Amino acid sequence: MNNTSFVIGGCRSGKSSHALALAEKIPGKRKTFIATCIPCDNEMKKRVKNHQAERSDKWTTVEAPVNLPEAIYEAGKNSDVVLADCLTLWISNLLLDPETSDKINQYIENLINVMKKISCNLIIVSNEVGAGIVPENELARSYRDLVGFANQKVAGAADKVTWTVAGIPVKIK
Amino acid sequence: MNNTSFVIGGCRSGKSSHALALAEKIPGKRKTFIATCIPCDNEMKKRVKNHQAERSDKWTTVEAPVNLPEAIYEAGKNSDVVLADCLTLWISNLLLDPETSDKINQYIENLINVMKKISCNLIIVSNEVGAGIVPENELARSYRDLVGFANQKVAGAADKVTWTVAGIPVKIK
Amino acid sequence: MNNTSFVIGGCRSGKSSHALALAEKIPGKRKTFIATCIPCDNEMKKRVKNHQAERSDKWTTVEAPVNLPEAIYEAGKNSDVVLADCLTLWISNLLLDPETSDKINQYIENLINVMKKISCNLIIVSNEVGAGIVPENELARSYRDLVGFANQKVAGAADKVTWTVAGIPVKIK
């Protein structure tokens, strides 16, 4: 039976490592990692490289900065587990592109539908971005709202939700 | 028997919806919503409208941007449940008004006293604002300290405390 | 038997008070408080004074803004409990000093080694700084990454980990 998990935590809270550990434990050799990240600067490229180095060679990597729901659905046809990391960068990509910025709710809806349809195990990673002070920047506030909304939707649809703090996974659903 | 609950979470973590769901479950038709928000711009007005649309017609709404303790006490006389949303904006209103900015601790003390005296169910909502990077702005740092202090006091006095993450309520007291 | 605890929470989440309460409960009269803070402005001096006033007179205070691992190790020889508060300021001190900024990983490694070697009870306090919006400032982003990394390492090595929210301690390990 397939199972959907959502892993959420602050920056450097160990969420990606925990999600990867969950995925590695799932039986089967067909593992797909879906990266939402467009590595556009050196800081980001380094981060991506570090994450890649953590994964075993069973993994196929797919980049889906925009069409995450479709990428998950397609990957699900031939995978034992799909790990999508992360929701936050996906929302950021959608928000910063004028072609997608006014259709974000529809994209989130599509993701929820894919979560229900998919027949392999799925793990989605996201960031908590709303537990600091209200940002002065209006775009940052919109982004914070959208990410929070997406996190709620995905957590609501997931079978299991884990909150990570300082590398410790805490099961909350 | 009356019961006091405190619901705390990041922005868009589902705290208001969870508090509302708790309040809707409480038997009795007399439900009072106390808004601390002064909707001064369109972004805020939209947020208030969305929250109002979520509530059933059993609700009376009272605005109490400054005198929250008194408003809760008064509403408590004729309500089965009082829901105050949220502590964070109340502290912000107190801090930004020169007439109240140096009396915030007294206001918080009054709120704690009302929590002990009130004879109906009470639910108070607040934001976690201290889990991000230290703000550069001094006023933001003072605000963060005051909100954290108020959250500790109210959580300490409450019978139940719930932490919300991505729409998932986690009972922590 | 000695025991290592890690207490992490947002700003003003009650982490220092909780850590102090844990330390006060430990039998024995020899209690050492290790402060990583260099109180350089009035805001900070006030904060330090408030924290000192909370501690009973059993406490010896040691300042270790940079050499935290050594200070813990030395204090451990003659203490029943050592309380180090906090990791976040220590990382900040290491990052801002050109002599130490490129050796932070080594310092963290030393700390982990001391945690394993120490023969008295040890409590380490830290801040969650990664659950807000991504900071625009590059140094703040580096800092956030380093603190998150240190928090994961220390939590991983600790026997017990507590997450504090609004003054409520939540045991997560």
Side-chain angles (χ1 to χ4, degrees), chain A residues 10-11 13 164-166, chain B residues 130-132, chain C residues 8-11 15 126-131 151 163:
Chain A
C11 162
S13 65
T164 55
V165 184
Chain C
I8 181 169
C11 162
K15 56 195 185 308
S126 191
N127 264 70
E128 173 58 66
V129 299
N151 285 343
W163 163 247

Side-chain angles (χ1 to χ4, degrees), chain B residues 6 8 128 130-134 136 138 141-142 144-149 151-153 155-156 161 163 172-173, chain C residues 9-14 17 43 47 127-132 135 137 140 143-144 163 165-170:
Chain B
F6 182 56
I8 179 168
E128 174 59 65
I133 215 80
V134 181
E136 288 178 37
E138 195 186 327
R141 286 202 303 277
S142 299
R144 204 169 76 129
D145 277 358
L146 283 165
V147 168
F149 176 76
N151 285 342
Q152 283 191 44
K153 284 281 186 181
V161 179
W163 164 246
I172 60 173
K173 176 184 177 182
Chain C
C11 162
R12 287 294 215 155
S13 64
S17 301
E43 193 181 332
R47 214 172 257 258
N127 264 70
E128 173 58 66
V129 299
N137 179 311
Y143 174 66
R144 205 168 76 128
W163 163 247
V165 184
I168 311 291
V170 184

